[in-house]
Amino acid sequence: MKKIQAITAVFLFVAISGWSQNVTEGINIDSLLNEMSLIEKIGQLTLITSDWDITGPSLSNDYKELIKAGKAGAVFNAYTVDFVRELQKTAVEETRLKIPLLFGYDVIHGHRTIFPIPLGQAASWNLDLIRRSESVAASEATAEGINWIFAPMVDISRDPRWGRVSEGGGEDTWLTSKIGATRVNGFQGEDLSSNSTALACVKHFAAYGAPEAGREYNTVDISTTSLFESYLPPYKAGIDAGTGSVMTSFNEINGQPSTSNKWLLTDLLRDQWDFKGFVVSDYTSINELVNHGVAEDEKSAALLSLNAGVDMDMQGRAFLNNLEMLIAGDKISMQQIDQAVRRILIAKAKLGLFDDPYRYCNKKREKTAIMTKDNRILARKLVRESCVLLKNENNTLPIPDNVKSIAIIGPLGDSKKDMLGNWIAAGEWDKCITLKEGMVNRAGDLIKVTYNRGCGIDDANTSGFEEALKAARNADMVILALGEAGEMSGEAASRTNIDLPGVQNQLATMVMEAGKPTVAVLFNGRPLAISQLQASVPAILETWFGGTEAGNGIADVLFGDYNPAGKLTMTFPQNLGQVPIYYNHKNTGRPLDPERPDFKYLSKYIDSPNDPLYPFGYGLSYTTFKYDDLSANVEGGQIQISVNVANTGNRDGEEVVQLYVQDKIGSITRPVKELKGFQKLMIKKGESKTVQFTLTKDDLAFYHPDLTKSFEPGEFVVYVGGNSVETIQKLVLFD
Ligand code: NOJ
């Protein structure tokens, strides 16, 4: 134990010095580096999975031996105090230099208390709530030994076929940047060495969200201006927020896979963006350079990725198997290895692991910090705020007081497992509240609640239809629980059909024959093309996968205990043929012309409108809001915007007031509209509020083909409204 104490003393200063890189860490780390053998150094660059969870291919079971041999610097998919302590003990008691391990995990929307999927959280437009949910996630994860979280995913995506849209903030660059930075702050907190905060990992660098045809792991091919303007800013925002690590993406950019892309990982990330943390490859993505066809074998893949700027190899063992040989052959230098090792040791020091390698193995915290009442209350709050009311004809919702019986019908109505969605971390499905349970909890003895499955999520069996119709006929109101299975989104879950799976549309049409007020409650991890459902039912509530408190939070909304205010952060198409579809598209040379609806030679389809089913920013409330008195004036070198928002309905409600801007004429084409700000505020019935925004030249600057970013003076249209389509506008000259 002597060694660890010596190292502890040396590193204490680093551990409490925050993220500043100007501390004297070099000397301290260098003294440890001097003592390390080459293989011990390579071990620090090696991340291996335990056999507790499977999040990718090529699982092997020798992780304990590797740790003992000092050939692993980090482990993922291992949690609970006992298990982490056991592995950490091996590292700090049985290896020569006693260097503690990092423990990573995909804590994507909560650890044990599961919050709504990130796409759902984004629909809350409540940054404070998102930050608090991530600090709960970090607090629970660290109570079970985790000190490194593989999130946030900040990949911009415009293609709902891609299953991983569920893990991100949606299609908008500005909003996803804000959310990404918020998540980093939530995980890392103010003090990384606290035992309830963890290292964040911004992923997947870069442009992983733009795979061709929405197919997982597919090729990405985007223009450089689009890359800089639309895809890169959220990663940069995460870095500016202080993320300790960045994960590479599986895809290529301009023919170069990210894991071997020196321009991306060194020139941009290190030299231009000044990132000081460490870069980890995604799962076996170093080895996959061979399949990409840029490396002839694992050895050259290891060479390419280390040279590009990868510091740690996730699960592929390409570094472990090859870096010694590459050093011996003078292909790489010891300086390169030392640089990568230093970055990882610094992260460990900042987490306080040299001070106390078991600081995240606190039995008491494991018992008291997990699934607490407060954590569940926060989760329920986020469920409510994530819900988006898509349709509400004849005020079908909230459930009227005279309703005395409710028939819940549909395959998602009582499925605990599906409530967690994908990436469930250590979430426990048996602790989830389903829609049926939430409704029963709220209804008590006053309202009879029945449940019929009706059909499976994705099969052709209609034998339950008759019973379902009978139940609908016997009830005052029907709630259809429809959507996708939890595992139909997330990694490796791309779909070529994004309508409701199986026979769920038929179930909905059939149940409508009962003639009862009917609400469809949707559970899904991506925008769905639900034109048929939209045409057949009077009310639709999007609830995503709400996690542990799903049913309770949804019941709050259905009964009107909470007035929904969620707004979509990804466009819902009318049909799959419209994909990719997003609100901030370009105008084209032949945009639609309302004056000539029948003119053929315009940018449109002959068999579908261009309009989405529900646009970005869209979501209804049980009350209504009216926007007027918009002013936009240039004062003191800024655009000062003011708008009046009135609650014109008969309920108090929150509204997400959205600010969009169009740069009318540019030296290159500009989007028809871009989100530049929002405010979520409560407005009581009959009241109105004045909302103000300020725009600077920096806010309106954009990337040019030579990759300089600058503002171009001229005319701008300022739009304000409750979604990206229904807005009021003002023209302003800003020069
Ligand atoms: C592959 C995924 O792309 C990444 O997001 C995840 O963190 C790793 N597997 C580890 O599970």
Side-chain angles (χ1 to χ4, degrees), residues 572-574 578 581 592 608-613:
F572 274 44
Q574 301 209 28
Q578 293 180 318
I581 181 169
L592 290 184
S608 164
N610 284 8
D611 295 335
L613 187 60

Side-chain angles (χ1 to χ4, degrees), residues 55-56 76-77 105-106 108 150 164 167 203-204 208 216-217 247 250 282-283 314 423 491:
T55 55
F76 68 119
N77 295 337
Y105 201 36
D106 289 288
I108 307 299
F150 298 153
R164 304 201 77 169
E167 296 172 52
K203 69 189 192 182
H204 305 85
Y208 183 41
E216 182 68 307
Y217 313 129
M247 190 184 293
F250 287 121
D282 202 347
Y283 204 114
M314 186 194 294
W423 288 118
E491 188 179 354

Side-chain angles (χ1 to χ4, degrees), residues 215-249:
R215 201 182 75 215
E216 182 68 307
Y217 313 129
N218 203 4
T219 304
V220 165
D221 192 1
I222 44 184
S223 73
T224 310
T225 38
S226 186
L227 180 69
F228 273 80
E229 191 68 23
S230 304
Y231 290 88
L232 292 179
Y235 308 106
K236 173 77 162 55
I239 285 150
D240 291 346
T243 184
S245 68
V246 166
M247 190 184 293
T248 66
S249 58

Side-chain angles (χ1 to χ4, degrees), residues 119-428:
L119 186 62
Q121 293 187 23
S124 76
W125 298 61
N126 188 334
L127 296 178
D128 182 54
L129 205 48
I130 292 173
R131 185 191 50 75
R132 282 159 62 202
S133 82
E134 298 303 28
S135 70
V136 164
S139 161
E140 290 195 354
T142 52
E144 287 204 290
I146 310 293
N147 47 40
W148 181 22
I149 289 175
F150 298 153
M153 184 189 105
V154 294
D155 305 323
I156 294 297
S157 187
R158 297 162 169 176
D159 196 329
R161 288 172 295 188
W162 192 51
R164 304 201 77 169
V165 298
S166 66
E167 296 172 52
E171 72 193 33
D172 185 67
T173 306
W174 185 88
L175 186 61
T176 300
S177 302
K178 297 274 177 227
I179 293 173
T182 299
R183 291 192 190 284
V184 169
N185 290 331
F187 293 135
Q188 296 193 164
E190 303 265 291
D191 175 9
L192 201 56
S193 71
S194 146
N195 68 356
S196 57
T197 56
L199 199 70
C201 186
V202 165
K203 69 189 192 182
H204 305 85
F205 194 54
Y208 183 41
E212 285 178 352
R215 201 182 75 215
E216 182 68 307
Y217 313 129
N218 203 4
T219 304
V220 165
D221 192 1
I222 44 184
S223 73
T224 310
T225 38
S226 186
L227 180 69
F228 273 80
E229 191 68 23
S230 304
Y231 290 88
L232 292 179
Y235 308 106
K236 173 77 162 55
I239 285 150
D240 291 346
T243 184
S245 68
V246 166
M247 190 184 293
T248 66
S249 58
F250 287 121
N251 57 281
E252 66 172 72
I253 296 171
N254 283 328
Q256 193 57 252
S258 300
T259 304
S260 56
N261 193 331
K262 185 161 191 294
W263 167 79
L264 187 72
L265 302 182
T266 299
D267 301 357
L268 184 70
L269 184 64
R270 299 282 179 196
D271 300 347
Q272 285 187 47
W273 291 1
D274 204 25
F275 174 58
K276 300 285 192 211
F278 69 91
V279 173
V280 61
S281 66
D282 202 347
Y283 204 114
T284 62
S285 67
I286 299 181
N287 317 60
E288 290 165 25
L289 296 176
V290 176
N291 285 343
H292 275 287
V294 295
E296 59 182 350
D297 53 20
E298 191 189 87
K299 185 173 164 196
S300 62
L303 174 66
L304 283 174
S305 50
L306 189 85
N307 276 341
V310 173
D311 300 307
M312 187 185 275
D313 173 0
M314 186 194 294
Q315 181 61 5
R317 306 193 185 179
F319 280 0
L320 196 60
N321 296 340
N322 299 285
L323 292 188
E324 261 183 307
M325 268 187 290
L326 289 167
I327 283 275
D330 272 343
K331 299 286 184 204
I332 53 171
S333 66
M334 194 60 83
Q335 263 173 326
Q336 283 177 280
I337 303 256
D338 284 355
Q339 175 171 266
V341 176
R342 182 179 288 113
R343 288 174 182 147
I344 289 151
L345 294 178
I346 288 172
K348 292 182 177 185
K350 284 178 189 293
L351 283 165
L353 286 169
F354 288 105
D355 183 25
D356 175 6
Y358 304 111
R359 68 187 312 133
Y360 303 97
C361 297
N362 182 323
K363 271 276 184 201
K364 192 169 160 225
R365 281 200 68 228
E366 189 174 45
K367 282 207 183 74
T368 55
I370 286 169
M371 291 284 264
T372 63
K373 199 168 157 224
D374 283 351
N375 294 358
R376 291 192 77 136
I377 289 172
L378 191 74
R380 179 169 179 165
K381 197 164 158 45
L382 200 41
V383 173
R384 298 166 9 162
E385 296 211 22
S386 297
C387 288
V388 184
L389 184 62
L390 298 175
K391 183 176 179 187
N392 197 20
E393 225 169 64
N394 306 323
N395 294 324
T396 307
L397 285 175
I399 295 168
D401 288 343
N402 59 359
V403 165
K404 296 293 169 238
S405 59
I406 297 173
I408 300 175
I409 296 171
L412 275 307
D414 199 23
S415 170
K416 283 183 178 284
K417 278 192 179 142
D418 288 301
M419 291 307 95
L420 295 176
N422 55 75
W423 288 118
I424 59 172
E428 293 154 287

Side-chain angles (χ1 to χ4, degrees), residues 10-21:
V10 170
F11 277 93
L12 197 55
F13 179 60
V14 179
I16 59 171
S17 299
W19 275 106
S20 163
Q21 296 297 305

